[in-house]
Amino acid sequence: CTEINAERIGCFWPNPQVERFIIRVHRHFFSNCTLERLVFADPPDASLILLILIPVFLTLAMVALVVWCSKRSDILA
């Protein structure tokens, strides 16, 4: 890791100063860095169904409201 970063910024390798700097930055910003990849899991079925149905019902409600208001335009005007 440090060799790749040293070459990327144009420094020779091995370079103890660059290595100390990169390790210090890594410790400061990535103190809880693991090599294991995160495994993302699907949400529970109940949450997934809720997240799908709410926008569907809101869309249907808005369409119904627009249709209802367009039929009553003579009363509302």
Side-chain angles (χ1 to χ4, degrees):
C1 172
T2 55
E3 182 179 1
I4 294 169
N5 286 321
E7 290 174 359
R8 187 178 54 151
I9 61 174
C11 294
F12 63 91
W13 185 259
N15 187 338
Q17 291 177 334
V18 172
E19 185 176 357
R20 280 194 301 269
F21 174 74
I22 292 172
I23 289 175
R24 188 171 17 133
V25 168
H26 188 271
R27 282 185 187 155
H28 179 72
F29 290 106
F30 307 107
S31 61
N32 190 13
C33 183
T34 60
L35 295 177
E36 298 175 7
R37 297 190 74 119
L38 292 176
V39 178
F40 295 107
D42 291 335
D45 287 341
S47 300
L48 188 61
I49 291 171
L50 190 65
L51 289 171
I52 292 171
L53 290 180
I54 287 176
V56 169
F57 284 129
L58 285 175
T59 303
L60 291 174
M62 293 301 292
V63 168
L65 184 65
V66 167
V67 169
W68 182 69
C69 286
S70 68
K71 287 183 179 181
R72 297 187 47 142
S73 63
D74 56 337
I75 299 172
L76 296 175

